[in-house]
C-alpha cells in the first residue's frame, strides 16, 4: 500500500509578512524551501526593512559559497550601522553540514552574540537539506527563525495567477487559473514567464484554456500525469508519444523521469484505495502531504485512478522498482529501460 510521508507544516506567507511589519526584523533567519519565489520575495522585503534604499553600501553585507569564513562572518555581525538603525547580512548556500570546512565553535560564538541592530539571514537552495543531527544545525535552529517556503494551496496559487494575469492586462477565471497551474506546474518562478507568454498571445481580454494549451510550456510532471492517464485510457500511442516528448527534454534525466512516473503510480494507487474505501481526497492528502492543499491535483488523481484496478497499479509500482534497480546496476541504456517499462505497463492492462 502507499507509504505515508511525514507531514510538513505549510507556511502562510502572509502571516510572516504581517509579523515582519508588526514586530520588526528578528536577529537570525533561515530561509529555505521549494517555493523559491516566495523565499526570494520575503528576503527582498526583509532587506528593505533592515536597510533603506541608498544605505546598502554602508549597512549591507553578503557572503556566498559553501565555506563560511568565520572572520568575515564575525566582522559583518559586529559592524555598526551608519546613517541607519540596522545592518543586514545575507549568507547564501553555506554548507553547514560540512563541519570540516569551518570552525563549529566559532560559528556558535557568532550566533550567540548577534547585536540588537543586526539581522543575519541564511538562505538555502530548494535542494539543500540541513542535517538536524549535528550540533551546528541544532545551534542555528536554537537561535534562528526557520522559514520553510512550501508550495501554496490551490486557492492561494490561483488567486496569485489571477493577479499576475491582471498585471499583464488580461483576466482569467478560477477554473482556467487552476488549469494553468496544472499545465505549467505549481512553482511560481516557472509560472511567471508562462503567464506573460500566454497573456501576450491571447487574442481576447480573458485567457482561456485553449490559449494556455496553445503556447504554455508543460511541466514534466504534467506530461507524466497525462502519460499515466493515457495508460489508464488504454491509449498507448499517446502514451508512447508523451514518453518521447519527455525523453526529448534534455533538462530531465531518465532517472528523474522514472522517479516522477514511479511517484505518480504511487499516488494513483493511493487514489484507488481512497475510491475503494470511500475516503476521497483526504486519504491522498494524508499519504502525500506535499499535495495536501492541491485539491485540483487530488481530483485529477481520483479521476485517473478510476481507469486502473488496484492490482494493476500494484504491479506497475513493482515494475517501476525493477526499472530503478536496472538503472542503478547498469542493466542497460536508461532511455531504453524507460521505453521497456512503458511497454510492460501497456501490456499489463487486464481488467482486475
Amino acid at each position: 500500500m502507499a507509504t505515508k510521508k511525514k507531514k510538513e507544516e505549510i507556511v502562510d506567507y502572509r502571516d510572516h509578512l504581517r509579523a515582519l511589519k508588526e514586530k520588526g526584523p528578528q536577529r537570525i533567519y533561515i530561509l529555505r524551501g521549494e517555493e523559491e519565489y516566495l523565499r526570494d520575495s520575503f528576503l527582498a522585503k526583509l532587506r528593505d526593512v533592515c536597510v533603506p534604499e541608498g544605505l546598502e553600501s554602508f549597512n549591507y553585507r553578503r557572503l556566498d559559497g559553501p565555506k563560511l569564513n568565520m572572520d568575515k562572518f564575525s566582522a559583518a555581525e559586529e559592524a555598526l550601522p551608519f546613517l541607519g538603525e540596522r545592518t543586514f547580512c545575507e549568507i547564501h548556500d553555506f554548507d553547514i553540514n560540512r563541519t570540516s570546512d569551518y570552525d563549529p565553535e566559532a560559528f556558535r560564538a557568532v550566533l550567540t552574540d548577534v547585536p540588537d541592530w543586526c539581522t543575519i539571514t541564511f538562505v538555502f537552495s530548494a535542494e539543500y537539506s540541513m542535517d538536524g543531527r549535528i550540533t551546528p544545525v541544532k545551534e542555528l535552529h536554537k537561535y534562528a527563525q526557520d522559514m520553510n517556503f512550501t508550495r501554496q494551496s490551490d486557492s492561494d496559487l490561483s488567486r496569485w495567477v489571477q493577479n499576475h494575469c491582471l498585471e499583464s492586462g488580461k483576466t482569467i477565471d478560477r477554473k482556467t487559473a487552476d488549469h494553468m497551474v496544472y499545465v505549467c506546474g505549481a512553482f511560481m518562478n516557472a509560472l511567471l514567464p508562462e503567464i506573460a507568454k500566454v497573456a501576450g498571445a491571447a487574442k481576447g481580454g480573458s485567457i482561456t484554456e485553449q490559449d494556455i494549451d496553445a503556447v504554455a510550456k508543460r511541466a514534466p510532471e504534467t506530461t507524466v500525469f497525462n502519460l499515466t492517464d493515457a495508460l489508464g485510457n488504454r491509449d498507448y500511442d499517446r502514451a508512447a508519444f508523451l514518453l518521447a516528448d519527455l525523453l526529448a527534454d534534455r533538462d530531465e534525466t531518465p532517472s528523474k523521469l522514472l522517479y516522477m512516473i514511479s511517484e505518480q503510480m504511487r499516488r494513483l494507487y493511493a487514489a484507488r484505495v481512497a475510491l475503494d474505501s470511500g475516503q476521497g481526497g483526504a486519504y491522498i492528502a494524508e499519504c502525500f502531504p506535499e499535495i495536501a492543499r492541491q485539491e485540483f491535483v487530488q481530483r485529477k488523481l481520483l479521476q485517473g485512478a478510476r481507469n486502473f484496478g488496484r492490482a494493476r497499479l500494484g504491479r506497475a509500482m513493482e515494475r517501476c522498482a525493477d526499472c530503478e534497480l536496472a538503472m542503478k546496476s547498469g542493466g542497460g541504456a536508461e532511455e531504453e529501460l524507460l521505453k521497456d517499462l512503458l511497454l510492460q505497463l501497456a501490456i499489463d492492462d487486464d481488467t482486475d
Side-chain angles (χ1 to χ4, degrees), residues 196-209:
K197 188 194 304 180
V198 173
K203 302 301 182 184
S206 296
I207 293 173
T208 67
E209 291 189 9

Side-chain angles (χ1 to χ4, degrees), residues 29-53:
Y29 288 89
I30 300 169
L31 305 187
R32 61 187 179 91
E34 59 183 356
E35 188 43 87
E36 294 184 328
Y37 175 88
L38 291 181
R39 182 203 67 189
D40 293 343
S41 295
F42 185 84
L43 175 62
K45 292 183 183 299
L46 180 60
R47 186 191 304 123
D48 289 343
V49 168
C50 292
V51 184
E53 185 177 358

Side-chain angles (χ1 to χ4, degrees), residues 21-220:
K21 182 178 180 180
E22 294 169 3
K23 300 178 182 179
Q26 305 301 302
R27 294 186 186 184
I28 307 176
Y29 288 89
I30 300 169
L31 305 187
R32 61 187 179 91
E34 59 183 356
E35 188 43 87
E36 294 184 328
Y37 175 88
L38 291 181
R39 182 203 67 189
D40 293 343
S41 295
F42 185 84
L43 175 62
K45 292 183 183 299
L46 180 60
R47 186 191 304 123
D48 289 343
V49 168
C50 292
V51 184
E53 185 177 358
L55 299 181
E56 295 88 353
S57 59
F58 302 114
N59 299 329
Y60 170 73
R61 306 286 186 278
R62 173 166 172 156
L63 303 175
D64 291 281
K67 298 181 181 180
L68 182 57
N69 183 298
M70 288 300 142
D71 290 335
K72 291 183 178 179
F73 185 24
S74 180
E77 174 199 72
E78 294 173 357
L80 290 168
F82 182 71
L83 299 177
E85 297 180 357
R86 303 191 65 83
T87 62
F88 185 69
C89 178
E90 290 178 31
I91 300 171
H92 287 255
D93 299 319
F94 167 46
D95 191 356
I96 192 173
N97 296 333
R98 286 183 59 87
T99 54
S100 60
D101 287 341
Y102 64 96
D103 182 351
E105 281 303 312
F107 178 69
R108 189 185 76 82
V110 177
L111 292 180
T112 58
D113 198 30
V114 179
D116 292 341
W117 65 76
C118 180
T119 292
I120 296 171
T121 302
F122 291 86
V123 184
F124 295 104
S125 67
E127 298 78 20
Y128 189 78
S129 177
M130 289 180 285
D131 186 348
R133 298 169 298 177
I134 65 175
T135 299
V137 173
K138 293 177 181 178
E139 290 288 335
L140 180 57
H141 277 106
K142 181 179 178 181
Y143 297 103
Q145 180 175 344
D146 184 9
M147 298 176 62
N148 179 21
F149 293 93
T150 57
R151 298 191 199 193
Q152 299 302 285
S153 67
D154 280 353
S155 58
D156 287 342
L157 199 52
S158 293
R159 186 163 48 247
W160 181 85
V161 169
Q162 289 175 302
N163 289 337
H164 278 272
C165 286
L166 280 175
E167 291 177 5
S168 298
K170 303 287 182 178
T171 61
I172 185 171
D173 61 32
R174 168 65 191 272
K175 179 175 178 292
T176 309
D178 284 343
H179 182 71
M180 180 174 282
V181 173
Y182 169 69
V183 169
C184 304
F187 290 114
M188 293 173 171
N189 276 338
L191 280 164
L192 273 176
E194 301 309 312
I195 290 171
K197 188 194 304 180
V198 173
K203 302 301 182 184
S206 296
I207 293 173
T208 67
E209 291 189 9
Q210 291 73 25
D211 293 328
I212 296 167
D213 293 339
V215 299
K217 179 182 178 182
R218 290 184 177 272

Side-chain angles (χ1 to χ4, degrees), residues 1 234 265 268-270 272-273 276 305 307-319 344-345 348-352:
M1 67 181 289
R234 289 152 176 83
M265 287 300 179
L268 284 168
Y269 186 92
R272 184 69 254 182
V273 172
D276 294 343
N307 295 322
F308 291 92
R310 195 188 300 190
R312 183 185 177 192
L313 287 168
R315 292 190 295 270
M317 290 191 294
E318 291 175 0
R319 288 183 168 86
Q344 294 177 48
L345 296 175
D348 188 15
D349 71 343
D350 55 306
T351 303
D352 44 29

